[in-house]
Amino acid sequence: QDKKGNLYFANNSGLLKFDGTSWHKYSLPNNSAIRSLKIDNSGRIYVGGNNEFGYFLSDRKGNLIYHSLSKLFDKNKEITKNTNIIWKIHCYQGEVIFQSFTKVFFLKKNKLRYYEAKNKFQFSFLVNNRLYFQDKKIGLLQYSNGKFITLKGTSAINNSEVWAIFPDPNNRLILATLENGLFIYDNNTIKPWQTEANAYIKKNSSLGGCMIKNKLLVFNTVLNGIIITDFNGKIIQHLNRQKGLQNN
């Protein structure tokens, strides 16, 4: 949502804008699906597609005009050619960060640099003003001031895809994985989060989730809707197709 109350959605068609009355569709130059979306304080709407990323900005008439950032590498097209999908965008420490499985691009003061993954990234997460990346062979990395720092003990989840990271009130991290359930990271150690929520997620697989007012956790599942839990892992509510979702 921008400062004027307009809502924006990213999907297979591109960028959708809803002003409360009408819908407008905006496409990327290569007509790829948009998989990531972030609005900064200046009103730039950053988007990431397949081998293409940049931002939309309103002109005087309110129409959104696309500005490609990947074109900054036109002299060396190999850099963006093998980028594939930009899955995550973060505004962090004065940079706008675009992350794919193979590369990370950093935009600062309209200058762009990039970092090639040593192995392969999974996803990245901004949690309590800390930015984490999952490297599929090293574990979790924390990015700060231009450097990636490996978090001790996190290689234990190398065979798991992390789809969400949440902070809990005890300064621990709750990790949601696709196939292997929920984990707690505390004192450089990762262990299963032995809770009602974990049993449910292990049975139905997780596609991440979100927090509600720092009090409740929402976990998306592949097979059976969502669960809403407290920080003890107790399930407060369950919503699936039978309870009103369009699909599971």
Side-chain angles (χ1 to χ4, degrees):
Q1 184 174 6
D2 67 15
K3 293 179 180 179
K4 296 179 180 178
N6 298 302
L7 296 176
Y8 298 90
F9 304 84
N11 70 8
N12 289 345
S13 300
L15 177 70
L16 301 181
K17 175 185 177 181
F18 182 60
D19 61 11
T21 305
S22 305
W23 289 88
H24 304 273
K25 186 181 83 170
Y26 300 89
S27 301
L28 294 181
N30 63 358
N31 291 313
S32 87
I34 295 179
R35 290 284 176 258
S36 50
L37 169 64
K38 184 70 67 175
I39 302 179
D40 71 4
N41 292 329
S42 74
R44 282 186 177 186
I45 304 162
Y46 293 98
V47 294
N50 188 26
N51 293 325
E52 178 64 49
F53 60 94
Y55 61 91
F56 287 92
L57 201 58
S58 291
D59 63 13
R60 291 180 179 178
K61 294 182 179 179
N63 298 313
L64 293 182
I65 307 299
Y66 182 69
H67 303 264
S68 176
L69 291 169
S70 43
K71 276 191 176 179
L72 296 177
F73 290 111
D74 268 359
K75 291 181 180 178
N76 188 353
K77 292 186 177 181
E78 289 298 314
I79 294 174
T80 52
K81 184 179 179 182
N82 300 316
T83 298
N84 298 321
I85 294 172
I86 299 290
W87 287 104
K88 298 277 188 172
I89 302 173
H90 308 281
C91 296
Y92 183 65
Q93 293 184 340
E95 295 180 307
V96 184
I97 299 169
F98 302 84
Q99 182 246 319
S100 77
F101 291 159
T102 59
K103 296 182 181 72
V104 186
F105 295 89
F106 303 89
L107 179 69
K108 188 172 186 178
K109 296 180 179 178
N110 291 322
K111 291 185 178 180
L112 197 65
R113 64 184 179 89
Y114 76 99
Y115 173 88
E116 195 108 22
K118 290 182 179 179
N119 303 292
K120 188 179 180 183
F121 287 127
Q122 186 58 35
F123 295 122
S124 53
F125 310 91
L126 190 55
V127 184
N128 277 359
N129 206 33
R130 292 180 180 177
L131 184 57
Y132 301 102
F133 289 74
Q134 184 186 13
D135 181 296
K136 299 193 85 171
K137 289 188 177 179
I138 300 174
L140 290 182
L141 310 175
Q142 184 177 336
Y143 174 79
S144 184
N145 298 318
K147 296 181 179 179
F148 289 90
I149 302 162
T150 304
L151 298 187
K152 295 179 180 178
T154 57
S155 60
I157 54 164
N158 280 356
N159 294 322
S160 303
E161 291 183 9
V162 177
W163 279 66
I165 300 180
F166 304 108
D168 85 346
N170 300 313
N171 292 317
R172 305 178 303 176
L173 294 177
I174 300 170
L175 313 178
T177 69
L178 179 64
E179 300 285 356
N180 297 319
L182 307 175
F183 294 85
I184 286 283
Y185 180 60
D186 186 31
N187 290 325
N188 299 330
T189 303
I190 283 185
K191 56 187 178 183
W193 195 33
Q194 300 294 10
T195 58
E196 183 182 16
N198 191 21
Y200 190 87
I201 293 299
K202 288 183 77 171
K203 181 179 178 182
N204 294 290
S205 299
S206 172
L207 291 175
C210 62
M211 294 178 66
I212 301 178
K213 296 182 179 178
N214 295 322
K215 294 180 180 179
L216 297 171
L217 301 173
V218 181
F219 293 101
N220 308 331
T221 75
V222 178
L223 301 175
N224 199 0
I226 68 168
I227 52 170
I228 301 174
T229 79
D230 61 18
F231 280 100
N232 295 315
K234 178 178 173 57
I235 296 175
I236 307 297
Q237 191 174 6
H238 172 231
L239 297 170
N240 62 9
R241 189 167 185 171
Q242 284 71 38
K243 297 177 183 177
L245 295 185
Q246 289 186 17
N247 61 55
N248 281 324

